[in-house]
């Protein structure tokens, strides 16, 4: 055999070995990436999203199992120990800024949290393909949130409740205003009753009130899932919050004014009802003696916390 033929065969063999080596490297890289992504990656079976969908009552339908489990693990690290207790003054009200700043940090993350008007919502784009019912207690006088949400999602049916709202001209057709306040449907213990007394003393006039359950029945909304419950009623949140929990809204946006004597009971009750905090927006400007903090919460199944 000539030296030329031998050299040609050797070159062909080397090329084949090189191609085989490159193939094995690419295969190894692919297998490594597949193992890193895990069976719950978005490129896997659609059933990988089942856990998140089940534990969020259908709200999160595209989060892979691996990512959802990571969220669960991170949530468990937020044990919500009360790290600071402010000194109570003026009867049953304490300074809110340090209490809300040093306690109750967010314990869940939303990938596309967004500011809608003056309210932070968790992934508002998810409302596009879902039935949308919004209850708003104490809307801003200019209906900033409701107008912005109606523009973003015209299919949302929005009901507002406030006897004192003013700028109601040119409201979007999907926003329905009701000139009435809310009251609790349950008997309050002495601590909560004292808190109510403090806030009620600040009112300058009497207003008509009904419970949220009564309003839902009158409007034939009692059998529908509430997508968002927004509450800014300047104190009533502390003595009507148990009615909020009965509604079981997918999201709650609450303006928590000051820090009354039942502050820990209220916050723990909401947490134990399955609500995780996705946003906390403190306002340190002193208003009505104490300012407020806006919390955005999402309801999850009890199995999420297990």
């Amino acid at each position: 055999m000539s030296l030329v033929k031998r050299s040609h065969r050797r070159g062909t063999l080397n090329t084949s070995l090189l191609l085989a080596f490159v193939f094995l490297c690419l295969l190894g890289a692919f297998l490594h990436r597949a193992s890193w992504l895990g069976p719950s990656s978005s490129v896997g079976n659609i059933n990988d999203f089942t856990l998140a969908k089940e534990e969020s009552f259908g709200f999160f339908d595209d989060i892979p199992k691996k990512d959802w489990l990571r969220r669960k693990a991170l949530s468990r690290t937020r044990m919500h120990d009360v790290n600071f207790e402010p000194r109570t003054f003026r009867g049953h009200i304490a300074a809110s800024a340090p209490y809300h700043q040093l306690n109750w940090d967010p314990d869940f993350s939303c990938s596309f949290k967004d500011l809608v008007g003056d309210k932070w919502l968790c992934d508002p784009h998810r409302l596009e393909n879902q039935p949308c019912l919004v209850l708003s207690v104490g809307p801003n006088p200019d209906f900033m949130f409701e107008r912005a949400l109606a523009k973003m999602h015209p299919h949302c049916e929005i009901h507002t409740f406030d006897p004192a709202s003013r700028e109601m001209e040119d409201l979007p057709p999907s926003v329905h205003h009701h000139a009435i306040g809310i009251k609790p449907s349950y008997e309050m213990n002495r601590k909560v009753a004292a808190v109510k007394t403090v806030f009620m003393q600040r009112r300058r006039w009497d207003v008509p009130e009904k419970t949220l359950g009564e309003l839902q029945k009158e409007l034939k909304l009692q059998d529908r899932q509430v997508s968002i419950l927004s509450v800014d009623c300047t104190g009533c949140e502390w003595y009507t919050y148990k009615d909020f929990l009965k509604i079981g809204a997918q999201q709650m946006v609450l303006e928590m004014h000051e820090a009354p004597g039942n502050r820990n009971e209220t916050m723990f009750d909401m947490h134990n009802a399955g609500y995780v905090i996705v946003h906390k927006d403190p306002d340190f400007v002193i208003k009505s003696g104490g300012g407020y903090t806006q919390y955005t919460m999402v309801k999850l199944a009890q199995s999420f916390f297990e």
Side-chain angles (χ1 to χ4, degrees), residues 93-106:
I93 308 296
S96 67
Y99 176 79
H100 291 291
Q101 181 183 11
L102 300 174
N103 303 307
W104 302 101
D105 289 326

Side-chain angles (χ1 to χ4, degrees), residues 57 216 224-227 229 242-252 273 275 299:
F57 305 103
Q216 285 181 287
R224 294 176 57 184
Q225 171 65 46
V226 177
S227 306
L229 173 64
K242 291 183 180 180
D243 287 334
F244 306 164
L245 302 183
K246 291 179 184 178
I247 289 175
Q250 214 164 43
Q251 288 193 62
M252 292 198 302
Y275 282 97
K299 185 173 178 60

